[in-house]
Amino acid sequence: MKYYSTKNRSHLVSFKHAVFHSLPADLGLYMPERIPKLDALFLRQLEQLSLPEIGFEIAKSVVGDEIPPADLRKIVEDAFNFPVPLRFLGSSDAVLELFHGPSFAFKDFGARFMSRVMAYLGDEKRLLDVLVATSGDTGGAVALGFLGVPGTRVTILYPKGKVSSLQELQLTGHGQNIRAIEIEGTFDDCQDLVKKAFGDPELEGKLRLTSANSINIARLLPQSVYYFFAAAQLRSQGMKELVFSVPSGNFGNLAAGLLAQKMGLPVQHFVAATNANDIVPRYLEGQEFHPKASVQTISNAMDVGNPSNWARIQDMFQHERSFIKEKVSAFSFTDEQTRNGMLSLAQEHNYIACPHTAIAWLAAKVYRENHPGAYSTVTLSTAHPSKFPEVFPAELAARIPALPQHAQLGQGKRHTVPMAANYQAFKRYLLD
Ligand SMILES: *Cc1c(COP(=O)(O)O)cnc(C)c1O
């Protein structure tokens, strides 16, 4: 399968090139040359298939012949090795728990697949240097995805004092091929340092740098898989019509769902749920698409003022707002509404959710009020609630769940170096 840049359809590259280069030089995003239609038999038999079986079919269709099927199957089985339960809260509203992987957030799907694909395709003798700037969840998933992968070294930049204590453990607790830098600054500073490194010709000659951020196509594609798996689980309960509600920040998750639909998954509608960073809901209401500085909220993994994957969604719908609106409704919620959502999930359904999940649950409710009908809603649950104990409403403090048994947090020793937000210092560190 070839990939094109959303800024230039005739700029075609291999899957491997798209994976290792993340971004085309024109700063578009890579998309598959054509969105493959999945086999009708596969779609009919969905409910008989396991998560890795579904994952293999999808991966095969988007990767093409650059990875032989037997090897791709192994990559998928190894990447998707955790459960993805669908929990019903009421007769036709469910939550799909995507947080049972090692970092307790859905970013494990993308990070685990991408790391294995990079290790497989990275046939060169030189060490692969993976750089990632994180505001919290991405760094943890990427660290665990690459931990112990031969031929790779990960450098994570995170803003001092701005990640939760559990997130910091996930970034700094490993050692081995995972290095963390605590930047005296904000997430934007971390991102700037990484971008400067990619644009530095001296580094390009000396290191084999690649990025693990969410613009990488190898992080996006594997996220389509759980949409099919949710449909499979619903069908096995006799339910067919399906509405997904997606907690959204950078809009990779929603883009992956829309991709699944274009591959042939029957989905009645998508609901995009945001916090106060409401640029997409405003755009769908008719306003201009105006990126702005992000606003800090209690659902901090969704604090994105300029959602980069929106370019992919625009591309899938010929840049026509009306086409997008046929498939997607979007709603935004305040922090107070989010806390109330967490409370009502606990009180009415005895379900403890993270703030991101609570927002999507609220959005699904609004959609149902406006569109009565015999469909099921599936709210994507993107993180384990124990990742965000700081933001729980006081009424629920006693009910914050304990960390799962399989928590991999390293050995207690911290592997991190403090650094000013200074490019020369960062460059010296990389070359050292
Ligand atoms: C990253 C993240 C999101 C936002 O997902 P996007 O694909 O960026 O829209 C939502 N919830 C959690 C917990 C996350 O870590």
Side-chain angles (χ1 to χ4, degrees):
M1 175 75 81
K2 291 272 186 278
Y3 284 76
Y4 65 81
S5 161
T6 52
K7 292 221 170 125
N8 179 1
R9 282 207 172 230
S10 58
H11 172 96
L12 292 176
V13 301
S14 65
F15 174 69
K16 179 176 175 178
H17 181 100
V19 169
F20 284 109
H21 293 83
S22 285
L23 267 185
D26 60 18
L27 301 184
L29 295 178
Y30 284 119
M31 283 294 278
E33 182 185 20
R34 58 190 168 76
I35 297 177
K37 280 269 179 227
L38 294 172
D39 190 61
L41 186 66
F42 164 75
L43 290 170
R44 268 207 309 281
Q45 290 180 340
L46 216 48
E47 60 263 50
Q48 291 154 34
L49 302 177
S50 67
L51 179 71
E53 285 167 337
I54 293 173
F56 172 64
E57 282 303 317
I58 291 163
K60 199 172 61 172
S61 72
V62 291
V63 170
D65 55 13
E66 285 178 58
I67 302 180
D71 294 341
L72 189 58
R73 191 185 287 276
K74 272 195 220 122
I75 288 173
V76 167
E77 281 172 357
D78 191 33
F80 300 164
N81 67 345
F82 49 87
V84 183
L86 185 71
R87 303 216 188 280
F88 274 90
L89 310 179
S91 58
S92 53
D93 298 305
V95 173
L96 185 70
E97 293 185 349
L98 301 172
F99 54 72
H100 295 282
S103 82
F104 320 127
F106 83 108
K107 293 199 168 69
D108 284 325
F109 284 89
R112 289 175 69 77
F113 181 78
M114 181 182 65
S115 57
R116 281 154 183 78
V117 163
M118 282 183 170
Y120 181 87
L121 291 174
D123 48 7
E124 283 147 72
K125 298 279 177 290
R126 279 162 82 200
L127 182 74
L128 180 68
D129 254 305
V130 181
L131 302 187
V132 57
T134 186
S135 59
D137 274 347
T138 294
V142 169
L144 286 161
F146 281 94
L147 184 62
V149 174
T152 69
R153 177 171 69 177
V154 175
T155 306
I156 303 167
L157 289 80
Y158 66 98
K160 182 179 177 180
K162 295 189 176 66
V163 300
S164 81
S165 46
L166 175 63
Q167 285 173 328
E168 187 167 14
L169 277 173
Q170 291 186 330
L171 303 175
T172 65
H174 302 295
Q176 301 180 55
N177 62 329
I178 312 296
R179 316 188 292 180
I181 307 179
E182 184 184 51
I183 297 291
E184 192 80 49
T186 63
F187 167 68
D188 293 323
D189 294 323
C190 298
Q191 201 159 34
D192 283 349
L193 291 172
V194 169
K195 278 194 189 148
K196 281 206 181 96
F198 282 109
D200 186 330
E202 196 189 334
L203 284 185
E204 200 182 305
K206 294 195 168 138
L207 302 171
R208 199 167 145 239
L209 293 178
T210 193
S211 138
N213 50 20
S214 77
I215 50 186
N216 194 305
I217 191 74
R219 268 191 57 188
L220 185 83
L221 298 172
Q223 291 180 221
S224 293
V225 174
Y226 47 75
Y227 287 89
F228 286 89
F229 191 56
Q233 293 187 66
L234 275 176
R235 276 195 213 165
S236 64
Q237 312 225 12
M239 288 174 251
K240 290 231 160 74
E241 295 302 322
L242 172 58
V243 170
F244 282 104
S245 185
V246 187
S248 295
N250 232 340
F251 282 80
N253 205 351
L254 182 69
L258 292 166
L259 205 61
Q261 188 182 41
K262 292 211 177 255
M263 288 176 170
L265 180 70
V267 178
Q268 181 174 316
H269 204 67
F270 290 91
V271 179
T274 75
N275 56 31
N277 296 282
D278 59 356
I279 166 165
V280 166
R282 282 171 182 270
Y283 169 76
L284 292 183
E285 275 166 21
Q287 299 186 24
E288 287 299 304
F289 191 83
H290 258 316
K292 43 187 181 184
S294 60
V295 182
Q296 195 173 348
T297 73
I298 62 165
S299 47
N300 68 350
M302 290 159 38
D303 292 350
V304 181
N306 185 9
S308 49
N309 280 296
W310 192 252
R312 288 193 165 113
I313 294 176
Q314 295 275 34
D315 186 74
M316 278 189 263
F317 292 93
Q318 292 84 49
H319 296 262
E320 272 291 335
R321 185 180 353 227
S322 59
F323 294 171
I324 302 176
K325 283 178 72 170
E326 278 170 29
K327 307 282 186 207
V328 182
S329 300
F331 305 106
S332 83
F333 299 88
T334 64
D335 279 353
E336 193 190 345
Q337 288 171 318
T338 307
R339 282 195 203 88
N340 287 337
M342 292 168 80
L343 269 177
S344 69
L345 270 168
Q347 286 160 355
E348 292 161 29
H349 300 288
N350 197 24
Y351 190 78
I352 304 293
C354 84
H356 316 82
T357 304
I359 286 180
W361 173 261
L362 289 172
K365 260 172 90 161
V366 174
Y367 181 81
R368 195 181 269 297
E369 277 158 21
N370 298 340
H371 302 85
Y375 54 83
S376 308
T377 68
V378 172
T379 292
L380 301 189
S381 179
T382 44
H384 193 287
S386 65
K387 262 196 124 164
F388 305 95
E390 299 90 347
V391 303
F392 264 66
E395 297 92 322
L396 293 181
R399 293 177 64 184
I400 301 173
L403 267 183
Q405 287 290 315
H406 62 274
Q408 291 177 30
L409 296 173
Q411 302 307 311
K413 181 171 164 18
R414 297 285 146 263
H415 304 268
T416 183
V417 295
M419 194 179 287
N422 173 300
Y423 180 64
Q424 288 313 320
F426 179 50
K427 182 171 171 177
R428 268 199 305 281
Y429 177 86
L430 286 176
L431 287 173
D432 197 2

